[in-house]
Amino acid sequence: MWVRQIHRWLSMAFTLAVIANIVAMTMQVQAVWIGFLALVPLIPLLATGLYLFALPYLGQHTGARSEASS
Ligand code: HEM
């Protein structure tokens, strides 16, 4: 399912951005764009994550998930 794949890879991008933020913080670098680096993947992460959350409640017509019966 492609939304799940996007969420997967965005989570990796977000993780790298968080690491970059921590590195910048420890090096006392004051740069707003490093903060935005984490915010940019986080917004689509939130959207795709909320979609993934809603999927089991919307029905089984979109994905290959089969364990949402109980
Ligand atoms: C921003 C709000 C977020 C929401 C609402 C959200 C929501 C979700 C939901 C509902 C699932 C599916 C769980 C399932 O039914 O199996 C999921 C999977 C996942 N999430 Fe998120 N998530 C968010 C952010 C993140 C972040 C920040 C990370 C990591 C940096 C992350 C990493 C993952 C991974 C790796 C999966 C598994 C994907 C897969 O099964 O292929 N998510 N998320």
Side-chain angles (χ1 to χ4, degrees):
M1 223 263 291
W2 62 274
V3 178
R4 190 171 284 269
Q5 293 300 317
I6 288 171
H7 192 79
R8 254 189 123 103
W9 285 105
L10 277 176
S11 74
M12 288 300 104
F14 177 69
T15 304
L16 292 176
V18 168
I19 291 168
N21 265 269
I22 293 168
V23 169
M25 229 162 69
T26 55
M27 289 171 71
Q28 309 251 304
V29 178
Q30 299 288 322
V32 178
W33 67 268
I34 301 175
F36 278 111
L37 216 63
L39 214 66
V40 166
L42 185 61
I43 292 162
L45 251 185
L46 178 70
T48 53
L50 288 175
Y51 177 71
L52 285 177
F53 180 84
L55 264 188
Y57 305 105
L58 292 175
Q60 298 295 304
H61 49 83
T62 37
R65 289 167 54 89
S66 55
E67 77 276 24
S69 53
S70 58

